[in-house]
Amino acid sequence: MIKVQLLNGEFDARDAKDLIAELIQLKIRFHEKKIAEAENEEDIKERERKIKKLHQEWSDIQHALRVRVKMHAVIEAEESNPPANER
């Protein structure tokens, strides 16, 4: 397993919002790229749902963060078995 520590510390509200905004925008761009490449309508709708949820979460965060914030983010990646249709 590979672990990458992205965030671990205390930030003022402005820096926390900036970091979170960048991460959310990166994830939205990822889904938009996948939508542009997608051929499956179900996949497109699922990614659009995820983008809508990210926008809502960003709105919630903007109203919630007002002072110093402790943030921790770790990515853990490990190999998984491919789906049967990819074997």
Side-chain angles (χ1 to χ4, degrees), residues 10-71:
E10 194 171 306
F11 303 85
D12 65 42
R14 177 181 216 102
D15 287 343
K17 287 179 184 180
D18 287 347
L19 283 166
I20 294 168
E22 290 291 328
L23 292 170
I24 288 174
Q25 286 301 314
L26 179 66
K27 195 164 181 184
I28 288 171
R29 286 192 305 271
F30 171 80
H31 286 300
E32 289 172 339
K33 180 181 175 203
K34 292 296 186 179
I35 287 171
E37 299 169 351
E39 296 177 10
N40 179 335
E41 187 68 27
E42 187 176 311
D43 187 41
I44 291 170
K45 287 182 180 184
E46 177 63 18
R47 290 185 185 281
E48 288 173 339
R49 185 192 65 74
K50 289 179 180 182
I51 290 171
K52 185 176 180 180
K53 184 177 181 210
L54 287 164
H55 282 293
Q56 181 58 51
E57 289 172 344
W58 173 237
S59 178
D60 295 345
I61 288 166
Q62 287 180 314
H63 294 92
L65 300 181
R66 302 204 186 280
V67 291
R68 293 197 64 76
V69 179
K70 289 183 181 179
M71 296 195 315

